[in-house]
Amino acid sequence: MNNRNRGKNTGDDALFGSEKQTGKLKLAVQDMQYLLTREYAEKAASELVGNRYRLKTRQIQAIRGASASDHQIRNRNLKQTGIGALKNRTIYLDGFNVLILLESLLSGAYIFEGLDGCFRDLSGIHGSYKKVKQTMEAVALIKAFFMKNKVQKLVWIFDQPVSNSGRIKQLIHEFALENNLNWEVELQFNPDKFLAGCSEVVISSDAWILDHCSCWFNLVGYLIREEQLFSNQIKLS
């Protein structure tokens, strides 16, 4: 098992670990919502808000992930499906998006609940995915969810251009065989577009996918509640 950890960055406690900082970030998200609702571009809105509250780069990244316009929030809420609708269904899972978020959660990194109820982290793959200590624990959580809720089939979608996507595909494929799971693992050159056009339930916290897909399920929020997972979560709504 790899010894890498997807935990906090140095300095994250100073940026996110106090009530003073989280209070400032909540106000910043409110301002972002106001500007996005009035059709300001996200980049321009985040620059304005970042300057107003004197936010650091990672704080701006957090508020951008947590923010949405009134229209986006309504649209996403209308398309969100409950746990009862998943039985005997095929579900498509945004592989790197969900896996990295769960790895971050399990390693004690800060995760942020946005205006749409989705959790997001500050990690990125930067063109190459590297397995960490929490990878298989994250996969096991998804297995428990799959079995408990009698999902018919789970299809993992990974970015083919990302380095090591073939290795994680093989790892999850072997795990599924060992545990007799009805899972498929696919590599797609444009997974966001593929998932956005999918007619089945999608699991992702990617804002563009949520805005364009037919229906989606908040897996990480479900796991935090049902499995009572400890997390350094910050509610920015």
Side-chain angles (χ1 to χ4, degrees):
M1 178 61 69
N2 205 308
N3 289 323
R4 294 187 183 93
N5 192 318
R6 209 175 294 283
K8 300 175 186 175
N9 274 20
T10 302
D12 275 357
D13 286 334
L15 296 177
F16 306 111
S18 69
E19 289 186 12
K20 179 181 178 180
Q21 293 297 331
T22 55
K24 181 170 66 172
L25 294 174
K26 288 178 182 179
L27 291 174
V29 169
Q30 289 178 21
D31 287 1
M32 282 285 292
Q33 180 181 2
Y34 178 89
L35 294 171
L36 293 173
T37 298
R38 283 149 186 82
E39 300 184 354
Y40 277 70
E42 184 185 59
K43 183 178 179 180
S46 63
E47 288 176 355
L48 283 170
V49 173
N51 289 335
R52 179 181 182 188
Y53 293 99
R54 298 182 181 179
L55 301 180
K56 303 297 185 183
T57 300
R58 284 175 70 78
Q59 291 176 315
I60 293 173
Q61 185 182 349
I63 67 164
R64 286 182 69 166
S67 301
S69 70
D70 291 352
H71 170 73
Q72 287 174 311
I73 296 167
R74 285 194 299 269
N75 179 50
R76 293 174 196 175
N77 287 341
L78 286 171
K79 296 191 294 185
Q80 184 176 2
T81 188
I83 190 68
L86 304 183
K87 185 178 180 181
N88 298 324
R89 295 282 297 273
T90 296
I91 299 174
Y92 285 77
L93 186 143
D94 188 356
F96 286 129
N97 177 276
V98 175
L99 193 55
I100 291 172
L101 178 53
L102 284 174
E103 291 168 351
S104 297
L105 181 157
L106 293 168
S107 66
Y110 287 102
I111 60 171
F112 306 89
E113 185 179 9
L115 296 174
D116 57 7
C118 282
F119 289 88
R120 296 175 178 90
D121 66 331
L122 299 178
S123 297
I125 52 178
H126 308 297
S128 179
Y129 172 81
K130 292 181 175 61
K131 178 183 171 187
V132 295
K133 288 189 291 185
Q134 298 81 14
T135 299
M136 295 315 298
E137 186 179 356
V139 175
L141 281 171
I142 295 171
K143 170 197 168 187
F145 152 79
F146 176 83
M147 297 181 68
K148 180 178 180 179
N149 294 288
K150 300 180 180 178
V151 177
Q152 183 182 54
K153 182 166 72 172
L154 182 65
V155 184
W156 295 67
I157 304 295
F158 287 103
D159 309 48
Q160 184 159 334
V162 171
S163 178
N164 294 324
S165 58
R167 290 184 182 179
I168 192 64
K169 173 185 177 180
Q170 184 64 26
L171 183 73
I172 293 174
H173 177 70
E174 290 174 356
F175 179 89
L177 289 176
E178 291 168 3
N179 291 275
N180 196 29
L181 301 170
N182 188 18
W183 288 5
E184 292 182 8
V185 190
E186 297 182 11
L187 301 181
Q188 292 283 339
F189 278 103
N190 192 338
D192 290 3
K193 185 177 180 181
F194 176 85
L195 290 165
C198 182
S199 60
E200 300 288 351
V201 178
V202 168
I203 294 175
S204 179
S205 63
D206 182 280
W208 189 84
I209 292 173
L210 299 183
D211 286 337
H212 293 86
C213 68
S214 298
C215 55
W216 63 281
F217 178 71
N218 187 353
L219 175 63
V220 174
Y222 168 86
L223 290 174
I224 288 173
R225 293 189 305 272
E226 294 298 316
E227 302 299 329
Q228 299 182 338
L229 298 178
F230 169 80
S231 63
N232 283 319
Q233 59 176 286
I234 297 176
K235 187 179 180 70
L236 290 182
S237 58

